[in-house]
Amino acid sequence: DTPASTHPCGRVAEMGSGASSPIRRACASPASSASKYCTETNKVAPAVILITAPAENEQATLFVSADGDATTKSAGSAAPSLRKTQLNAEEREEVVKVLEVARLVRLRLQGGQRTLHWLADTAEIEDFAAGAILSGDPAWAEGHRVVLSGSASISLSPEGPGRGVEVATLQRGDAFGWALTLNNPDEEAALEAWERCSPRILVGADEVLRVALLPEETEDMFSMQRKPSKRPLPDSGAARGSIRPESRCGSKMIGRTSSRRQSALSQVGTAGSDTNTTVMLTLTDFFARLWLVASAPRKGIGEVSVGMPRAHFQAALWSPLVDRFEELSDQIRRRKQQGYRIHDCFPLQGYQIAEMKDHVLHLTEIWYGSDRGGNLSSMYKWFCESMDLLGVTAYSYDLIPKEISVDGWATVVDGAARVAALKGKGLSDALYVSTGGLAQRQGRSAIDNTVLRNVFLPYEAEEMLTGRFLRKILCKFMQLRQKCIIRRLSERLELDLMWLAQAGGPNRGHRVVKNVLECLSLKELEHAGIEPESTCFKALLSRGSILAGYGQLDPTQQTIVWQNVRQLLERKSVDEMQGEYRGEPRADAEDKIERFVAWCRDYPGEYFERSKEMHMQVLIGGAWCNKLVIIRRSAMEKMTLARYFPIPWQRTQPLWGYTNLGPTIVRPEGVKEASNVRANECPYASLHGMSLSAGGFSSDERCGAAKKNPTKKYTMIMEMQWVRDPKANIENWYITDIEKIAQEAFYLNPHGPASMKLQGEIFTNVGQNPKVGSSIKNTQHTQICEGSLNTYPVLKIPSKRGPLPSPALDGAMLELVDVGPEGTSLENQGLMIRITTENPTALPVLKFLVDLRYHLLANVEGAAEAIDFLVTAVADETGNFVVIFAPLPQLVKLDDKHPDLATWANPLTGESSETAGLEETRIDFGKGVGHFLVAKQALREQLLENGEETLRRIWAFNRIPGIRSLIEDFFRVNGAFPEEPPKTYDSQPMLTWTRTPLSPSKTGHTTRYA
C-alpha cells in the first residue's frame, strides 16, 4: 500500500517514505556499481530491506537474492537462547570464580568474597548463540554482563554503515553494558552519541557466548563516591576535569568543560571524595568504561582508519595516565622539599607498582592490538626518571659530559666525571644507615638487594620497628617544644608566627619565620627562656617551620636522635640478655636461628644450607618460639631504595651453561620466570636500567594471584617471602640468557613504527654483558638503556647477501654480517648474526638462537674458557625487532692495571691491543654498539677522530678463527636459507686452535700464551 521506487537494476529497492516509516532501504552497493554489475552479468543486483519494529525495539534484515528468493537474518539485538534466573550451586560457583578474575570487579569493586557471593546469588545466566549479533539498548543498557565462557568482538560504525571497526574483544572475565540513571540532557546526548556509533557485539562463530547479567543495583556499587582510599591506583580512566574532549555529534556538544565532572575512572582504584558530587557522563566515559573492562581488539586502535576511537582513547585513557605520571613526579619533588626520608619520597608501594604496570600493559595493548601486544616502555621511562629524581642513582647521567664523533658512530662518556660522581655514594649510604635507615647491602653481590630480607632476630626487629616508633615520639616532643618557642616569641613580638610556621613545604611564611628568628639576639632569646643551642631551636631556625617529621632534621640532628633511640633500646636488650648484646647476625654462629637469619641476608631466595626441610623447620619453629621475627614484604618494600616493577614470563627454551664436562642445563624449559626491572644506580647510558631475576621467592605474578582479593596487597606466601625456586638464582658469567633478553626487549619497546608511538614511550636496547664487560659475577642481570637500531650505525652494517627470509625462523629475516675495516679478508673480520622479526619471543627465533649457541659451545674445544657471546635486542622503529647474536673470544688481561687502562689480548689469534694499535679492544653491551665509557685521553681522541674505523677494528680484533664455518654448517643443517635444505652431519668436527706464544709487547713484558 506504499509507493515504490525502483533500483537501477529494476528490482524494487525501497518501500515507504518519511521519517516515521518503519521500512527503510539499504543497498548492498552504490547504484553505479550495482548497475555495472547487472550489465556485465545480466543478473539482478540484490537489494537489502531493513524492516524495523519500533514497538519491540527489534530489527530484522530481509535479504532478496538475485533469483527472487528472500531470507531473513537478525540484524538487531539477538535474544538469548537461554536465560536462567535461579542458579544452582554449581552455576553460582562458576559465577564467583569468574568474578574473582573479572576486570570489572577487580577495578571497581571494593568488596570481598561476601559481595562476590551476593552478586552470584542475584545474577542471571544468559546464553547467546554462536554467530549472534547483539546491539541496541538490550545489549548495553540492561546492566553489567560478565563473560563466563565463549568469545565475541565489539565493533563500532561511527562513520556510518560499512565502516565498522573492531574496538574491543570479549573473553572470559571481560564485561560489557551498564545500568545508567541519566542526570541531565548532556548525559542523554552522550548516550545518543554512543548509540549513533552503532555498537555491535558479534558472538564468535564456534562457541556459545555465556554471560552473567549482574543486578542493576551493582551500578551504584561500582560507581558510587567513596572516601579517599589509602591505596591509590594509577589514575587510568576518562579524562579529569581539565581534559575534556570537545566533539560534536549532531547539534549537541558531547564533551563540555565542567569542573563538576569527574571521570569514570577517577572512581576506579582511586576513590573519590566523600561528597555527593554528581558524576556527569560523556561519550568519552562510555569508551573508557568499555575499554577498561574488555580485552583489547586484535588490530590496535592506533591502526584503525576511523579517527574517533583514537581520539577518545587519548582523551579517556592515555592522557590521564601521562598526567598521573607527572603528578607522581611532582609528589616526589614535594616530598623531597619537605624533607621526607629518601625511601618515603616514592609515592607508590610495591603492589601499587605492579597494578600500574598491569594497567599500562592493558592500555598499550588496546592501542597496538592483541596481535602485537602491549608494552611497558612509558612506565620504564617514568620509573628511571623517578629514581633519578629521588636520588637513588648515585648521580644524574644527564650531568656527565658526553661527546659524539663526527661520523656519529661513537659516543664518548667522560669516565673521570663519572668516577668523581661515584665517590660520594659510599658516604651517602653510610650516612643513611647511621641515621636509622635500613642497610641496603645484602646478598651475593652489590645489586642483590632488590628484595630485602624479611626475617630478623628479636633485637633486630625491635630496633627497626620499636626504634622507628620511639623516633616518632621524640619528633613529637620536638614539635611540642617548637610550638612552645613559637608561642612565646609570638607573645613577646606581637606577631603571629604560629600561623606562618605551620608544617609543610617551603613557602613565604617559613622564610618570614626564619628571618625573624635570625634577627633576634642571644640576649633576647635567653630573656624569653629559649636556649639558642638546643636541637629544637636549631631545627626551627634552619627551616622556619614546625617539624613535620624525622627527615626534616639535618643529618647531624638525625644522628643524635637515632643514637638516643639506640641507647634506650640497648639498655633494654642488655637487661633482657643479662649483659650480652649482639650486633649483626653471624654466619658462623653456634645458634642455628642466628645462622638462618645470616643465611637469608647473604643468600636471599635460597634454602637454608641448601636444605628445604631444615629451612622450613627453622622458619616455622623460630617464629613459633618467638626467636625469629617475620615482617611482611609489603612493609619491607617501604624501606627499600631499589624499587622495581616485575615482568613475568615463561621459559620456552632451556638455558645452557658450560662446565668442564660440556654444556649443561641451568634452567629447563617450561619454568616460570620473572624479571625485576629497576634503575641502574651507576648509569653510563641514557635511562640506564637493569633487570634481575626475581629469584626464588614466590610472587603473585607467578602463582596465579589473579584470584586473590583485589582489596588485599599480597598473598600470604608472598608477604612471607616464601622460597619457591632456589635454582632461579644463577650467575651472570658464561650464561648468556637469550630468552630473557628477548622477553624484556619485547615488553620494553613499542610494538609499532615510530609514528605510532604514544606520548612518553621510548625505544630501548636490552642486552647482557659478556664476562669481559661484567663486573658482577654472582647475580644474573641484563642491561637496559634508551636506544633503537637507528641509534647505533654499527648494527646497520649491510651484509653481503642482504636480509633473506629464513624458513627456519618462520619467515623472519636472517643475515650473517661481517664487521671489519674495509678491504680486509673475511678471516680477519669479526661477525654478527642479525635477525629482523616482528616478535623476538617467537618460538622459531628463540629456538634457532638457543640451538646455535649450544652448537657453538658443544663444538669448540674448551668453550668455557675460549668463547663468549654478545646478545642484544633493539627495535628498528618500523614495527620490527632486531636481535644481534655475536660470538666473541674471551680476552685475556695482560697486566694488573684497571680494566679500562689495561692491555688486552685475543688468545685465539695471538694479537694484543698494543700490537693492534687500539686503545680499547673489549666488546660489551655499550662498546659493542659504539657507546664508550672513556678513562684514557688517547682512547677519546681515537674515537672522536674516526669512530667508524675504530669500531670496525675493535670488532675485527674480537674474531674467532674458524667460527664462520661452524655457523654456516649450522645454517645448512637447519635450512636457514631457502636455497639450503636441511642436512644432517655424519660427524661433527671440533673447532680447535694451535696454542702459540704471543709476541712481547711494546712495554717489555711477555704476554701469556695464546
Side-chain angles (χ1 to χ4, degrees):
D1 297 331
T2 57
S5 60
T6 306
H7 190 272
C9 63
R11 175 69 65 181
V12 174
E14 182 174 352
M15 294 177 291
S17 61
S20 61
S21 174
I23 304 176
R24 300 190 305 276
R25 188 257 317 162
C27 291
S29 59
S32 57
S33 61
S35 177
K36 179 180 180 181
Y37 170 79
C38 296
T39 303
E40 294 179 353
T41 62
N42 199 25
K43 291 184 179 180
V44 177
V48 181
I49 303 175
L50 300 179
I51 303 176
T52 306
E56 299 179 4
N57 196 24
E58 293 181 354
Q59 193 175 69
T61 303
L62 176 64
F63 291 92
V64 183
S65 62
D67 56 5
D69 295 334
T71 59
T72 60
K73 181 178 180 181
S74 172
S77 179
S81 59
L82 172 67
R83 172 175 287 186
K84 290 192 65 175
T85 58
Q86 298 295 328
L87 308 185
N88 56 39
E90 183 178 350
E91 291 169 333
R92 288 197 297 270
E93 185 64 25
E94 178 188 8
V95 174
V96 169
K97 288 182 177 180
V98 173
L99 289 178
E100 286 176 341
V101 299
R103 283 196 176 97
L104 179 70
V105 177
R106 294 185 69 193
L107 281 175
R108 299 189 177 185
L109 185 60
Q110 299 296 321
Q113 287 293 318
R114 292 176 58 186
T115 307
L116 297 184
H117 283 280
W118 175 80
L119 289 174
D121 291 340
T122 55
E124 300 177 2
I125 288 184
E126 299 175 335
D127 289 350
F128 294 93
I133 302 175
L134 289 71
S135 65
D137 286 347
W140 296 100
E142 287 187 352
H144 297 282
R145 287 182 170 90
V146 179
V147 178
L148 303 179
S149 63
S151 62
S153 172
I154 300 176
S155 67
L156 301 178
S157 301
E159 296 185 358
R163 295 296 302 276
V165 293
E166 183 184 67
V167 295
T169 57
L170 296 175
Q171 311 291 337
R172 182 178 183 269
D174 293 335
F176 64 95
W178 36 71
L180 299 176
T181 301
L182 301 181
N183 298 311
N184 53 54
D186 284 338
E187 293 182 349
E188 294 178 1
L191 185 58
E192 292 174 3
W194 172 257
E195 293 172 351
R196 280 194 290 271
C197 293
S198 303
R200 298 193 306 164
I201 302 173
L202 306 130
V203 182
D206 301 327
E207 188 176 1
V208 171
L209 182 67
R210 185 175 175 85
V211 301
L213 175 62
L214 303 183
E216 294 184 4
E217 292 80 4
T218 57
E219 179 67 24
D220 294 332
M221 182 184 303
F222 295 142
S223 60
M224 65 181 179
Q225 295 290 332
R226 300 184 183 90
K227 293 183 179 180
S229 172
K230 294 183 179 179
R231 54 189 301 269
L233 294 178
D235 191 356
S236 52
R240 290 183 293 278
S242 60
I243 302 178
R244 291 298 304 258
E246 296 185 358
S247 58
R248 292 184 179 271
C249 196
S251 61
K252 293 188 177 183
M253 178 71 74
I254 301 306
R256 186 173 301 168
T257 303
S258 171
S259 60
R260 294 173 54 239
R261 184 227 180 212
Q262 299 181 15
S263 69
L265 192 63
S266 66
Q267 308 151 37
V268 179
T270 45
S273 64
D274 53 356
T275 61
N276 292 323
T277 304
T278 302
V279 178
M280 188 170 64
L281 297 176
T282 66
L283 179 60
T284 299
D285 294 314
F286 287 107
F287 276 100
R289 286 182 171 217
L290 171 63
W291 280 322
L292 288 172
V293 298
S295 294
R298 286 177 287 271
K299 182 180 180 181
I301 297 297
E303 293 185 276
V304 299
S305 57
V306 181
M308 177 182 283
R310 296 197 304 272
H312 284 283
F313 174 86
Q314 292 285 351
L317 299 177
W318 194 256
S319 293
L321 176 65
V322 174
D323 290 344
R324 178 60 173 162
F325 284 147
E326 293 177 355
E327 289 171 3
L328 291 171
S329 299
D330 291 340
Q331 194 169 353
I332 292 173
R333 295 185 185 94
R334 287 195 300 269
R335 291 187 177 190
K336 288 190 68 176
Q337 288 179 343
Q338 294 172 8
Y340 279 63
R341 300 272 285 172
I342 185 172
H343 59 266
D344 291 326
C345 288
F346 193 71
L348 298 180
Q349 298 183 36
Y351 68 93
Q352 294 171 319
I353 297 173
E355 289 170 348
M356 176 175 279
K357 180 262 300 181
D358 292 337
H359 177 65
V360 173
L361 200 60
H362 179 56
L363 295 196
T364 51
E365 188 176 15
I366 293 172
W367 181 256
Y368 292 100
S370 58
D371 289 344
R372 292 178 182 264
N375 74 89
L376 299 169
S377 63
S378 60
M379 183 167 182
Y380 173 78
K381 176 179 180 290
W382 169 79
F383 203 81
C384 289
E385 291 174 346
S386 297
M387 294 300 107
D388 186 12
L389 188 61
L390 276 170
V392 171
T393 55
Y395 53 86
S396 175
Y397 174 75
D398 294 337
L399 301 179
I400 302 297
K402 295 169 283 292
E403 298 174 279
I404 299 178
S405 62
V406 177
D407 56 16
W409 277 61
T411 299
V412 176
V413 181
D414 191 341
R418 179 175 180 267
V419 170
L422 281 172
K423 288 182 178 179
K425 179 170 175 55
L427 295 176
S428 62
D429 292 345
L431 180 62
Y432 176 76
V433 175
S434 67
T435 55
L438 191 64
Q440 302 291 308
R441 284 190 172 274
Q442 69 164 32
R444 293 160 285 265
S445 68
I447 62 173
D448 200 9
N449 60 350
T450 305
V451 181
L452 297 181
R453 66 179 171 112
N454 71 328
V455 291
F456 299 89
L457 295 174
Y459 67 84
E460 289 184 294
E462 184 180 45
E463 179 177 303
M464 184 172 60
L465 301 178
T466 309
R468 288 165 60 88
F469 179 70
L470 291 176
R471 197 170 64 194
K472 290 181 179 179
I473 291 178
L474 291 178
C475 289
K476 284 291 184 182
F477 287 150
M478 294 180 68
Q479 291 174 6
L480 294 175
R481 178 59 180 162
Q482 287 180 337
K483 288 180 180 180
C484 293
I485 294 173
I486 289 293
R487 287 197 182 100
R488 193 169 298 178
L489 291 175
S490 297
E491 291 175 359
R492 295 185 64 86
L493 301 175
E494 296 186 4
L495 178 64
D496 189 1
L497 297 176
M498 181 62 70
W499 178 76
L500 296 172
Q502 292 299 318
N507 55 50
R508 180 179 175 276
H510 295 176
R511 291 193 297 270
V512 172
V513 173
K514 185 176 179 181
N515 293 336
V516 169
L517 295 180
E518 287 177 347
C519 75
L520 297 177
S521 64
L522 295 177
K523 185 177 180 180
E524 289 173 320
L525 293 174
E526 292 174 355
H527 190 67
I530 299 171
E531 184 180 349
E533 296 300 321
S534 67
T535 302
C536 295
F537 181 78
K538 286 183 177 179
L540 184 61
L541 180 63
S542 64
R543 298 188 64 87
S545 65
I546 302 295
L547 185 67
Y550 179 69
Q552 288 190 345
L553 297 171
D554 63 45
T556 303
Q557 294 168 339
Q558 289 183 20
T559 303
I560 294 173
V561 172
W562 183 241
Q563 287 176 351
N564 290 330
V565 170
R566 294 196 67 178
Q567 287 176 3
L568 293 173
L569 294 174
E570 188 170 348
R571 291 193 195 100
K572 181 176 182 294
S573 300
V574 169
D575 292 340
E576 288 182 353
M577 295 184 293
Q578 300 178 355
E580 181 186 359
Y581 182 78
R582 296 175 292 180
E584 284 285 320
R586 294 177 291 109
D588 58 350
E590 294 182 2
D591 182 64
K592 184 177 291 187
I593 293 181
E594 184 175 354
R595 294 204 313 273
F596 175 82
V597 174
W599 179 276
C600 292
R601 177 196 63 206
D602 299 334
Y603 302 97
E606 293 190 23
Y607 290 126
F608 177 44
E609 297 180 355
R610 307 292 193 274
S611 171
K612 180 179 180 179
E613 182 180 1
M614 185 181 296
H615 185 94
M616 297 303 176
Q617 287 178 354
V618 178
L619 178 64
I620 298 174
W624 187 271
C625 64
N626 294 326
K627 291 186 177 181
L628 192 67
V629 179
I630 304 174
I631 300 177
R632 296 194 311 270
R633 177 171 179 165
S634 56
M636 293 302 303
E637 286 178 337
K638 296 178 182 178
M639 296 176 275
T640 304
L641 299 183
R643 303 296 178 95
Y644 67 92
F645 63 87
I647 298 178
W649 51 281
Q650 187 166 4
R651 193 175 291 278
T652 63
Q653 302 296 315
L655 175 60
W656 294 95
Y658 195 88
T659 65
N660 294 331
L661 300 177
T664 180
I665 292 180
V666 178
R667 298 287 289 165
E669 58 183 304
V671 297
K672 292 182 178 180
E673 305 279 12
S675 301
N676 287 343
V677 180
R678 53 181 279 192
N680 192 320
E681 295 182 12
C682 305
Y684 53 84
S686 176
L687 298 177
H688 192 180
M690 62 174 62
S691 173
L692 290 79
S693 170
F697 294 123
S698 293
S699 67
D700 292 345
E701 295 289 341
R702 300 170 61 194
C703 301
K707 296 183 179 180
K708 80 183 186 74
N709 192 320
T711 62
K712 294 182 179 180
K713 299 177 181 178
Y714 290 141
T715 55
M716 184 188 70
I717 59 172
M718 185 169 179
E719 289 281 24
M720 293 186 67
Q721 290 184 192
W722 204 262
V723 176
R724 178 183 178 89
D725 186 5
K727 294 183 179 179
N729 300 289
I730 59 178
E731 294 183 355
N732 197 53
W733 291 0
Y734 312 118
I735 305 175
T736 307
D737 200 339
I738 297 171
E739 187 164 2
K740 184 175 188 292
I741 295 169
Q743 291 283 355
E744 291 163 3
F746 185 72
Y747 273 105
L748 297 176
N749 275 288
H751 298 167
S755 60
M756 194 178 174
K757 275 197 317 178
L758 291 164
Q759 181 184 357
E761 289 189 327
I762 61 168
F763 292 108
T764 60
N765 173 20
V766 182
Q768 185 175 357
N769 274 322
K771 175 182 177 293
V772 72
S774 175
S775 59
I776 295 176
K777 173 185 177 183
N778 293 326
T779 304
Q780 184 200 46
H781 59 285
T782 52
Q783 304 287 341
I784 309 167
C785 72
E786 183 178 12
S788 68
L789 183 67
N790 294 335
T791 310
Y792 312 115
V794 67
L795 301 185
K796 300 172 68 175
I797 294 177
S799 60
K800 292 186 176 180
R801 302 178 63 182
L804 296 175
S806 172
L809 298 174
D810 199 18
M813 310 304 286
L814 176 64
E815 296 176 85
L816 184 59
V817 183
D818 302 300
V819 187
E822 296 290 342
T824 57
S825 59
L826 286 181
E827 59 269 17
N828 290 323
Q829 295 189 32
L831 61 83
M832 65 173 73
I833 295 165
R834 184 166 61 212
I835 295 177
T836 304
T837 174
E838 193 172 294
N839 185 355
T841 65
L843 187 61
V845 175
L846 292 177
K847 179 175 174 53
F848 183 87
L849 290 173
V850 171
D851 288 351
L852 174 58
R853 178 173 175 267
Y854 174 84
H855 173 75
L856 298 179
L857 288 174
N859 293 283
V860 172
E861 182 183 16
E865 298 180 355
I867 65 173
D868 208 338
F869 302 91
L870 172 69
V871 178
T872 188
V874 295
D876 67 355
E877 299 192 24
T878 67
N880 293 321
F881 289 83
V882 174
V883 182
I884 302 296
F885 177 95
L888 303 172
Q890 290 199 28
L891 303 185
V892 177
K893 191 157 77 81
L894 302 181
D895 50 41
D896 297 329
K897 296 180 181 179
H898 187 277
D900 290 340
L901 306 174
T903 301
W904 293 87
N906 182 344
L908 307 182
T909 62
E911 191 176 17
S912 71
S913 55
E914 291 186 349
T915 59
L918 288 170
E919 297 296 332
E920 178 62 80
T921 57
R922 294 169 295 168
I923 286 180
D924 55 23
F925 172 73
K927 301 178 185 68
V929 296
H931 193 91
F932 292 83
L933 187 63
V934 176
K936 294 189 293 186
Q937 179 64 21
L939 174 60
R940 173 183 172 275
E941 295 173 355
Q942 193 173 58
L943 290 169
L944 294 179
E945 182 180 353
N946 195 330
E948 178 180 359
E949 179 68 17
T950 303
L951 203 52
R952 285 178 176 272
R953 291 174 59 195
I954 292 173
W955 273 90
F957 181 88
N958 284 270
R959 63 189 180 276
I960 301 176
I963 201 71
R964 173 184 294 277
S965 61
L966 278 180
I967 294 175
E968 291 175 344
D969 288 343
F970 177 84
F971 284 1
R972 283 192 292 270
V973 169
N974 290 273
F977 293 111
E979 70 276 9
E980 298 177 356
K983 298 181 180 180
T984 57
Y985 285 125
D986 295 330
S987 62
Q988 178 63 52
M990 178 70 72
L991 185 61
T992 60
W993 295 274
T994 302
R995 300 185 180 272
T996 57
L998 289 169
S999 59
S1001 68
K1002 296 179 181 179
T1003 57
H1005 65 267
T1006 303
T1007 59
R1008 300 180 184 180
Y1009 66 89

